Amino acid sequence: MRRMLFKSLVYGPLTEAAPPRSEAAVAELAARVDQAARARLGRTLAIREVDAGSCNACELEIHALNNVLYDLERFGIRFVASPRHADVLLVTGPVTTNLRQALERTYQATPDPKWVVAVGDCARDGGVFAGSYACVGGVSAALPVDLHISGCPPTPLALLQGLLALLESVESPSGGKKVRD
Amino acid sequence: MAATKILRDILAEGQARPAHRPWPCAAVGGEAWEQAISLLQEEQCTLLGLWGDQGMVHLALLDADGKPAILSHPCEGNRYPSVGSRHGAAIRLERAVRELSGFEPEGLPDWRDWLDHGTWPLQCPLGPAEPVSAAPKTYPFLPAEGESLHQIPVGPVHAGIIEPGHFRFTAGGETIVRLEERLGYTHKGIESLMAGATVERAAVLAGRASGDSTVAYALAFARAVEAARGAEVPARAVWLRALMAELERLANHLGDIGAICNDAAFAMLHAQFGFLREQVLRVADRCFGHRLMMDRVVPGGLRDDLPEEGQGAIGGLVAELGRRFPELVELYENTASLQDRTVGTGVLPAGLARRFGAGGYVGRASGRAFDARRTPGYPPYDELQFEVPVREEGDVDARVWIRIREVEQSLAIVGQILERLPAGPVHTPLAAPAFAEERAGAALVEGFRGDVLAWVRTGADGGILRCHLRDPSWFQWPLLEAAVEGNIVADFPLCNKSFNCSYSGHDL
Ligand code: SF4
């Protein structure tokens, strides 16, 4: 282990080893996310992820946001374990009827002000699962949604872009149109 | 072997159903059905799947020689003799058959609903599909009695970024006395959506049964359709399909080994393995136009060919992984704090793995040397050199080691494929069916998690009339309950991650 730690000291972070093109895009987005987060949320944003019946691929890409290449936490955006600590609910899946109640309870447990981001094509309108007896058909059928991030699944870059869009649309952390009862 | 003969005899005595390919299939009566259940009970055969369709319940079995077959029992009066009454691995499948198709497994010891939580607007969606008003049902968990036992309910919404499911722990102090799972929260009605769909749409749905195994599912579905339709796939597509399947295996194993280390509080390896996983996904994106390679495998072949620079990119990836991976393995092996958590934790006894026909690393870490790439096998794996690693310990550490060895094997397989990749087209459009009758096809494909079963019945117009998908998790979830018994509650995430069962693939 010592050798590996030593190596990372000498060679710098893995973040720099990524392919140039997408790395440039990450850096550009990173700068924008960083500024917006600082200005509007005092540099922190707590996200609670809720799988409302996804195929689990959206979760895989949300996970990727935390890997060393995207390293979401450097912007002050982090995933939290409880909705009571969250500013944002990041919801995936077509909202199955079996999960609807749990999703609504999670929303109720999230303190105001709060935002809901629907991630993936099936969270938008049911996607390929639209019309099923077992799906409500999109997050907005169950909760008020502030932002949709499309893709099946959205790439980590698209997710970063979406979070930026959310930060930019937020008026202020404690007031404005997005606050709900 | 005696067992093989018996399953063959049962098939021979039944009424052969020639429209089923490529496995033999026969309609059987009560006595032969009971004999088949005895074969399961005596572990002469392994259960591959059980589902209802058109007034029949179908039982897919693997005999001792690794040859699959399907037995079909008519459900007169919507009833049939339960398999689960004598073979525990079938219980959850039969609960699902009852509530999806409406066939009552007579003698099934568990009467509770499984996927149907009372929130659907209809009943038996794959059967009569009668409208009902939704009324959420309470679920009676099995009791555990004893002095100072307490219950811990967890989920369906969990603390991490994972899929939803409910775990009911009964604990004595720190020790888990019983775990009971309640699943079904991600049930999307995929099989109902597939019924009556075109092959193209059904393929898209199959690729979203469990997103982490999208290549495996798309491949299983495509092979089942191709079997039913008697379609040939160009050689280049066959080899590229295997290449994609191995990239998927690599990405999942790398990500999960890291995640297991993370659950054992060793974040550095998590970061390192996560980096390697990301490299695989980026190369997949460059070569196939999608990080997870969704919708790339289609009936008839592949959607697109590998671009010219693809072979070099994948070769570079194999070289990089080959360089970095051994260092990380060494670190895993030599970190006492990690070993302390993984060795001896969450032991799955070999007998249970065998009885339930546990696939993938769960089975192979508990002595079950089964790999669908070998038995029943499918091309091009018969032309590739690879080993199927097996261990006996059955603990978290053994499951990690199986995955480590499989990463090495997959890297070797990818190398061989790159060397021998045939030229030519990658897709042959499915010809319009030249037959008026319905056909059925089945396939078993080794995903990273274990064997995925796909079965389709296609109509005279070539469309999908019914498709059944069986995730390896069906036989692994119940074993997780057994493996965590006697462990401390704090080790549950570690045990759970080492199994990494699919919720979506199970719930469909
Ligand atoms: S949007 Fe696509 S990837 Fe995401 S959960 Fe839905 S089907 Fe899966």
Side-chain angles (χ1 to χ4, degrees):
Chain A
M1 175 155 73
R2 229 178 292 151
R3 195 182 41 180
M4 210 174 282
L5 289 173
F6 181 69
K7 250 204 222 162
S8 32
L9 275 180
V10 176
Y11 293 115
L14 289 169
T15 316
E16 291 180 358
R21 206 197 59 199
S22 65
E23 194 49 42
V26 172
E28 180 200 318
L29 263 170
R32 292 167 62 204
V33 172
D34 194 24
Q35 278 173 6
R38 202 189 306 249
R40 306 191 196 272
L41 286 152
R43 247 197 114 95
T44 78
L45 185 63
I47 301 179
R48 171 65 252 204
E49 199 270 345
V50 185
D51 175 337
S54 92
C55 77
N56 79 26
C58 275
E59 275 61 37
L60 293 177
E61 293 297 56
I62 292 171
H63 261 294
L65 283 177
N66 277 329
N67 74 31
V68 289
L69 291 151
Y70 300 103
D71 191 18
L72 190 66
E73 276 210 40
R74 66 187 144 145
F75 312 126
I77 302 177
R78 71 209 154 87
F79 289 94
V80 292
S82 167
R84 300 202 187 278
H85 304 156
D87 306 304
V88 175
L89 290 186
L90 203 62
V91 187
T92 63
V95 186
T96 58
T97 57
N98 282 352
L99 201 85
R100 180 184 190 148
Q101 190 189 43
L103 174 64
E104 287 169 353
R105 284 191 184 166
T106 307
Y107 180 75
Q108 283 152 17
T110 311
D112 281 323
K114 56 189 163 193
W115 295 272
V116 176
V117 179
V119 168
D121 290 346
C122 67
R124 174 184 291 274
D125 55 7
V128 297
F129 309 114
S132 165
Y133 62 88
C135 297
V136 177
V139 180
S140 55
L143 300 180
V145 174
D146 296 284
L147 177 75
H148 290 97
I149 301 177
S150 39
C152 187
T155 60
L157 275 181
L159 290 166
L160 261 182
Q161 218 135 26
L163 291 175
L164 171 72
L166 175 77
L167 286 166
E168 286 179 345
S169 75
V170 172
E171 296 284 316
S172 76
S174 57
K177 61 185 167 70
K178 299 289 178 186
V179 181
R180 292 196 179 80
D181 306 325
Chain B
M1 279 169 94
T4 314
K5 225 170 116 200
I6 294 172
L7 182 59
R8 268 199 219 125
D9 289 347
I10 296 174
L11 279 164
E13 285 160 19
Q15 191 190 343
R17 310 185 71 212
H20 278 69
R21 285 143 208 257
W23 307 342
C25 178
V28 297
E31 201 179 316
W33 186 256
E34 293 298 337
Q35 282 169 354
I37 302 173
S38 297
L39 288 181
L40 286 170
Q41 200 177 10
E42 292 156 14
E43 296 177 18
Q44 316 259 22
C45 278
T46 309
L47 178 63
L48 285 183
L50 195 149
W51 65 99
D53 182 39
Q54 282 192 311
M56 285 200 161
V57 61
H58 301 296
L59 176 67
L61 300 164
L62 192 73
D63 74 12
D65 289 342
K67 293 207 173 59
I70 297 176
L71 300 178
S72 308
H73 191 287
C75 298
E76 272 165 45
N78 288 330
R79 319 180 84 74
Y80 73 95
S82 162
V83 178
S85 61
R86 286 200 280 144
H87 185 62
I91 292 178
R92 287 181 179 175
L93 287 164
E94 293 198 311
R95 290 165 73 184
V97 165
R98 177 168 56 200
E99 61 201 0
L100 295 177
S101 299
F103 302 143
E104 178 62 35
E106 276 187 302
L108 181 67
D110 199 331
W111 51 268
R112 298 171 299 171
D113 280 309
W114 183 235
L115 303 173
D116 184 351
H117 295 192
T119 64
W120 306 338
L122 47 77
Q123 219 174 325
C124 306
L126 293 171
E130 283 156 9
V132 288
S133 50
K137 300 169 186 174
T138 48
Y139 190 79
F141 286 92
L142 300 175
E145 282 162 20
E147 221 174 298
S148 56
L149 293 182
H150 62 284
Q151 286 202 346
I152 312 172
V154 178
V157 177
H158 295 154
I161 305 171
I162 57 168
E163 299 180 77
H166 183 88
F167 299 120
R168 183 64 58 100
F169 296 95
T170 304
E174 275 292 291
T175 309
I176 301 170
V177 175
R178 162 175 273 161
L179 161 65
E180 198 183 350
E181 298 148 358
R182 190 190 185 195
L183 302 174
Y185 291 95
T186 73
H187 177 79
K188 296 178 268 294
I190 290 181
E191 291 188 1
S192 289
L193 290 170
M194 287 173 120
T198 61
V199 168
E200 293 73 25
R201 160 138 169 91
V204 167
L205 285 163
R208 283 155 183 79
S210 183
D212 51 14
S213 308
T214 180
V215 174
Y217 268 95
L219 181 54
F221 175 79
R223 287 187 54 80
V225 170
E226 287 152 9
R229 300 273 291 264
E232 287 288 331
V233 176
R236 185 174 173 83
V238 169
W239 285 71
L240 282 176
R241 283 173 168 188
L243 179 67
M244 294 161 90
E246 297 310 318
L247 288 179
E248 179 173 271
R249 202 181 318 281
L250 282 169
N252 280 300
H253 280 350
L254 291 169
D256 286 349
I257 297 170
I260 292 168
C261 294
N262 199 41
D263 278 341
F266 200 67
M268 178 193 175
L269 274 181
H270 182 221
Q272 297 280 350
F273 281 114
F275 174 77
L276 296 189
R277 172 183 162 85
E278 181 68 19
Q279 302 311 309
V280 178
L281 299 189
R282 287 184 179 187
V283 167
D285 192 24
R286 268 166 75 194
C287 295
F288 300 103
H290 191 286
R291 286 162 54 87
L292 303 174
M293 298 171 283
M294 261 179 180
D295 306 327
R296 269 48 195 175
V297 175
V298 294
L302 292 182
R303 201 178 89 163
D304 300 307
D305 198 354
L306 185 70
E308 235 169 80
E309 73 275 13
Q311 227 155 313
I314 297 170
L317 174 75
V318 170
E320 187 186 353
L321 293 183
R323 212 171 37 243
R324 286 181 181 262
F325 186 67
E327 284 185 344
L328 304 186
V329 173
E330 205 189 307
L331 189 51
Y332 172 79
E333 199 172 5
N334 295 328
T335 303
S337 69
L338 253 179
Q339 299 284 313
D340 183 46
R341 294 290 306 277
T342 58
V343 176
T345 306
V347 176
L348 172 67
L352 273 180
R354 202 172 51 239
R355 206 177 316 152
F356 273 70
Y361 44 82
V362 172
R364 292 194 276 273
S366 291
R368 184 171 182 256
F370 176 78
D371 187 320
R373 294 175 293 176
R374 264 275 143 81
T375 6
Y378 48 96
Y381 291 101
D382 46 351
E383 294 180 51
L384 294 166
Q385 304 274 328
F386 66 101
E387 279 164 28
V388 177
V390 185
R391 285 178 80 109
E392 306 296 331
E393 299 89 334
D395 55 1
V396 172
D397 181 58
R399 288 186 282 279
V400 171
W401 274 108
I402 295 290
R403 286 174 161 232
I404 289 172
R405 294 288 169 246
E406 287 184 17
V407 166
E408 294 161 0
Q409 294 302 315
S410 288
L411 286 174
I413 291 175
V414 171
Q416 293 173 53
I417 294 176
L418 289 179
E419 260 170 39
R420 299 171 52 190
L421 191 60
V426 294
H427 190 256
T428 310
L430 295 181
F435 36 84
E437 85 276 30
E438 291 177 3
R439 294 270 178 104
L444 200 66
V445 161
E446 188 73 19
F448 86 95
R449 184 179 278 120
D451 49 303
V452 172
L453 171 77
W455 178 88
V456 297
R457 179 164 58 84
T458 65
D461 66 350
I464 302 298
L465 296 173
R466 173 88 165 87
C467 176
H468 174 67
L469 301 168
R470 195 272 300 139
D471 195 86
S473 307
W474 276 97
F475 304 128
Q476 296 167 342
W477 273 122
L479 298 177
L480 177 64
E481 291 182 353
V484 300
E485 215 181 284
N487 285 256
I488 57 172
V489 178
D491 272 342
F492 175 72
L494 193 57
C495 298
N496 191 23
K497 193 69 214 176
S498 76
F499 270 65
N500 192 25
C501 302
S502 174
Y503 300 70
S504 182
H506 168 281
D507 295 350
L508 283 188

